[in-house]
Amino acid sequence: MVLKAEIHCHLEGAASPALVEGQARKYNVDVSGIISDGKFVWEDFTQFLKCYDGAADLFRSSEDYALLTESYLSELAADDCIYSELFISTDHARAIGISEKDYIDGIAEGMRRAKEETGIEARMIATGLRHGGPESVLRAAQYVADNPHPLITGFGMGGDERMHHPKDLAPGFEVARAAGLGITTHAGELVGPESVRDSLDYIKPSRIGHGVRAIEDAELVKRLADEQIVLECCPGSNISLKVYGGFDEHPFMALRAAGVPVTLNSDDPPHFHTSLKREYEIGAKEFGLSAAELTEITRTAVKAAFVDEETRKQLLAKLD
Ligand code: ADE
Ligand code: ZN
């Protein structure tokens, strides 16, 4: 049994079609445009983001969020995951018309329930929405800086990587950094190595979401290894979104061989027909990693986690 940890998963993107359909019945909403035969349907990244927002729109109260968080974390724990960081988005709270506080309290309650039932440790990474622009990212950062919560330990950014330059998005990250939050950002998923380089230069994260397209620039790969920037790799997501044609083309092992710290994550699991368990299976079957090597990947994730040192020590002890 390999213990797992996940540091890149979008909470709203983790809602299973069955759970979303249940919410759709509760709120009497037609979801046939985004779910068909029990599966989410989308064709490309732009449609995926729409599908994601359609599912997110059905979580409309603190209790809905507690349920979503508890169900996802309990599934993870059943697959031997000991630690989870979930990307949350106060923009979703605004979109459904609940307060940021109710949204965060609901998620924290779900984390509390899951921990009580299974022992799983979890934290939130607040995110700004890149396609919302610099002001929106700054607003998201300002909210968490002004309203510190013990379970919100990081700040990141998702959304459409093809929009807005990291230089323009940096002010939000500076606010989050000054508030003591760990910093990560999506880059090098849809856009090439320049997006990773510019993110390192302007946003200065300790981790990059995906980052896999850094492989196209040898200098940059060396920089990632030298600076020990941790990549939150999500191979199943990359194949599903056609960033790579197959696992044989995926740069996970090449990055690892170059000394870049890599981790395995599920991103938006049901959208990409994956789970954290499946990502570790991909590690074993497609990349040829042994159980000891997979445990080392979990160790990399825990070392890079946005968590207090006492909790990190306890998590690392479980891996020994
Ligand atoms: N938001 C949710 N999933 C995402 C992904 N894979 N890339 C960028 N933003 C996202
Ligand atoms: Zn992501």
Side-chain angles (χ1 to χ4, degrees):
M1 187 248 303
V2 173
L3 293 179
K4 307 172 182 73
E6 175 159 73
I7 57 173
H8 187 122
C9 179
H10 302 259
L11 176 60
E12 285 85 358
S16 69
L19 186 59
V20 171
E21 282 176 328
Q23 294 294 112
R25 280 192 294 278
K26 176 172 168 184
Y27 293 116
N28 200 17
V29 172
D30 175 15
V31 284
S32 60
I34 59 166
I35 299 176
S36 171
D37 290 333
K39 293 194 176 115
F40 289 117
V41 277
W42 49 264
E43 294 284 330
D44 57 19
F45 188 76
T46 307
Q47 274 187 26
F48 153 68
L49 285 182
K50 283 213 176 99
C51 181
Y52 178 100
D53 284 339
D57 175 57
L58 292 161
F59 295 87
R60 298 183 174 181
S61 68
S62 221
E63 181 49 37
D64 288 351
Y65 269 97
L67 172 71
L68 167 57
T69 308
E70 181 189 4
S71 16
Y72 180 63
L73 291 177
S74 306
E75 274 171 39
L76 275 185
D79 289 338
D80 307 313
C81 177
I82 56 171
Y83 180 73
S84 156
E85 272 171 23
L86 292 169
F87 290 127
I88 65 156
S89 164
T90 44
D91 287 290
H92 282 295
R94 293 167 63 91
I96 52 169
I98 64 171
S99 69
E100 286 96 339
K101 182 178 186 309
D102 283 350
Y103 172 79
I104 290 162
D105 285 350
I107 298 166
E109 171 60 15
M111 288 181 167
R112 189 198 63 72
R113 289 181 198 162
K115 184 171 177 178
E116 192 174 277
E117 288 153 22
T118 69
I120 191 167
E121 197 66 62
R123 297 291 185 274
M124 296 176 229
I125 300 180
T127 59
L129 207 52
R130 187 169 188 146
H131 46 273
E135 303 74 27
S136 142
V137 173
L138 180 59
R139 185 181 59 217
Q142 199 66 58
Y143 179 81
V144 287
D146 292 344
N147 300 273
H149 187 289
L151 295 180
I152 302 181
T153 52
F155 185 76
M157 179 174 65
D160 198 329
E161 210 180 287
R162 297 165 293 191
M163 296 169 76
H164 302 289
H165 195 277
K167 187 175 22 177
D168 300 324
L169 298 157
F173 287 89
E174 286 312 317
V175 166
R177 195 189 331 273
L181 298 169
I183 301 292
T184 178
T185 184
H186 282 64
E189 177 192 18
L190 299 183
V191 181
E194 66 279 11
S195 75
V196 176
R197 198 180 318 109
D198 290 342
S199 296
L200 292 177
D201 287 344
Y202 293 103
I203 293 176
K204 304 183 188 77
S206 62
R207 307 184 339 210
I208 297 261
H210 300 282
V212 282
R213 290 197 55 195
I215 199 70
E216 294 163 35
D217 179 337
E219 279 281 307
L220 179 61
V221 171
K222 182 171 180 317
R223 179 174 174 189
L224 291 172
D226 287 349
E227 296 180 16
Q228 288 291 287
I229 303 293
V230 174
L231 299 190
E232 303 155 6
C233 295
C234 314
S237 158
N238 296 150
I239 302 305
S240 200
L241 282 167
K242 302 192 174 62
V243 177
Y244 297 103
F247 290 112
D248 53 340
E249 293 171 24
H250 196 282
F252 184 87
M253 291 303 278
L255 289 161
R256 180 174 175 273
V260 180
V262 286
T263 61
L264 285 167
N265 306 275
S266 71
D267 208 5
D268 303 283
H271 292 269
F272 303 139
H273 315 294
T274 194
S275 61
L276 185 61
K277 180 168 178 250
R278 175 158 182 266
E279 296 300 316
Y280 273 68
E281 281 164 7
I282 290 167
K285 294 194 186 120
E286 305 286 345
F287 302 151
L289 293 166
S290 67
E293 288 167 330
L294 288 169
T295 304
E296 210 41 48
I297 283 172
T298 305
R299 198 182 308 276
T300 301
V302 172
K303 283 186 182 162
F306 298 146
V307 78
D308 58 280
E309 294 312 314
E310 183 51 38
T311 308
R312 192 188 323 279
K313 214 167 89 188
Q314 286 169 12
L315 291 166
L316 287 172
K318 290 189 185 182
L319 300 177
D320 289 333

mmCIF file of all heavy atoms in Angstrom, residues 8 10 87 186 210 267-268, ligand 2:
data_model
loop_
_atom_site.group_PDB
_atom_site.id
_atom_site.type_symbol
_atom_site.label_atom_id
_atom_site.label_comp_id
_atom_site.label_asym_id
_atom_site.label_seq_id
_atom_site.Cartn_x
_atom_site.Cartn_y
_atom_site.Cartn_z
ATOM 1 N N HIS A 8 -2.669 19.423 -5.613
ATOM 2 C CA HIS A 8 -3.265 20.173 -6.736
ATOM 3 C C HIS A 8 -4.598 19.546 -7.126
ATOM 4 O O HIS A 8 -4.649 18.601 -7.917
ATOM 5 C CB HIS A 8 -2.316 20.183 -7.938
ATOM 6 C CG HIS A 8 -2.773 21.074 -9.062
ATOM 7 N ND1 HIS A 8 -2.029 22.114 -9.557
ATOM 8 C CD2 HIS A 8 -3.918 21.089 -9.788
ATOM 9 C CE1 HIS A 8 -2.683 22.726 -10.521
ATOM 10 N NE2 HIS A 8 -3.850 22.107 -10.693
ATOM 11 N N HIS A 10 -8.800 21.024 -7.664
ATOM 12 C CA HIS A 10 -9.779 22.113 -7.562
ATOM 13 C C HIS A 10 -11.048 21.564 -6.917
ATOM 14 O O HIS A 10 -11.641 20.608 -7.444
ATOM 15 C CB HIS A 10 -10.095 22.665 -8.950
ATOM 16 C CG HIS A 10 -8.876 23.159 -9.664
ATOM 17 N ND1 HIS A 10 -8.548 24.495 -9.749
ATOM 18 C CD2 HIS A 10 -7.873 22.505 -10.308
ATOM 19 C CE1 HIS A 10 -7.423 24.633 -10.422
ATOM 20 N NE2 HIS A 10 -6.989 23.439 -10.778
ATOM 21 N N PHE A 87 -7.802 23.610 -3.939
ATOM 22 C CA PHE A 87 -7.955 24.967 -4.450
ATOM 23 C C PHE A 87 -9.398 25.387 -4.262
ATOM 24 O O PHE A 87 -10.319 24.674 -4.668
ATOM 25 C CB PHE A 87 -7.642 25.022 -5.956
ATOM 26 C CG PHE A 87 -6.192 24.832 -6.298
ATOM 27 C CD1 PHE A 87 -5.802 23.883 -7.218
ATOM 28 C CD2 PHE A 87 -5.222 25.619 -5.707
ATOM 29 C CE1 PHE A 87 -4.468 23.712 -7.551
ATOM 30 C CE2 PHE A 87 -3.882 25.468 -6.031
ATOM 31 C CZ PHE A 87 -3.506 24.506 -6.955
ATOM 32 N N HIS A 186 -0.763 28.199 -11.675
ATOM 33 C CA HIS A 186 -0.788 27.377 -12.892
ATOM 34 C C HIS A 186 0.102 28.038 -13.946
ATOM 35 O O HIS A 186 0.026 29.253 -14.134
ATOM 36 C CB HIS A 186 -2.200 27.298 -13.466
ATOM 37 C CG HIS A 186 -3.120 26.353 -12.750
ATOM 38 N ND1 HIS A 186 -3.498 26.533 -11.464
ATOM 39 C CD2 HIS A 186 -3.738 25.222 -13.169
ATOM 40 C CE1 HIS A 186 -4.312 25.546 -11.103
ATOM 41 N NE2 HIS A 186 -4.484 24.741 -12.128
ATOM 42 N N HIS A 210 1.112 22.196 -12.779
ATOM 43 C CA HIS A 210 1.506 21.586 -14.062
ATOM 44 C C HIS A 210 2.985 21.902 -14.345
ATOM 45 O O HIS A 210 3.843 21.166 -13.909
ATOM 46 C CB HIS A 210 0.601 22.025 -15.229
ATOM 47 C CG HIS A 210 -0.825 21.659 -15.023
ATOM 48 N ND1 HIS A 210 -1.297 20.388 -15.219
ATOM 49 C CD2 HIS A 210 -1.900 22.388 -14.600
ATOM 50 C CE1 HIS A 210 -2.588 20.346 -14.951
ATOM 51 N NE2 HIS A 210 -2.978 21.550 -14.556
ATOM 52 N N ASP A 267 -6.076 17.126 -10.253
ATOM 53 C CA ASP A 267 -6.570 18.352 -10.909
ATOM 54 C C ASP A 267 -8.093 18.510 -10.768
ATOM 55 O O ASP A 267 -8.550 19.187 -9.859
ATOM 56 C CB ASP A 267 -6.124 18.389 -12.372
ATOM 57 C CG ASP A 267 -5.964 19.805 -12.915
ATOM 58 O OD1 ASP A 267 -6.096 20.766 -12.142
ATOM 59 O OD2 ASP A 267 -5.697 19.951 -14.121
ATOM 60 N N ASP A 268 -8.861 17.953 -11.689
ATOM 61 C CA ASP A 268 -10.336 17.992 -11.620
ATOM 62 C C ASP A 268 -10.802 16.568 -11.918
ATOM 63 O O ASP A 268 -11.242 16.276 -13.047
ATOM 64 C CB ASP A 268 -10.899 18.945 -12.687
ATOM 65 C CG ASP A 268 -10.320 20.348 -12.546
ATOM 66 O OD1 ASP A 268 -10.762 21.085 -11.653
ATOM 67 O OD2 ASP A 268 -9.412 20.689 -13.325
HETATM 68 ZN ZN ZN B 2 -5.371 22.780 -11.972
#
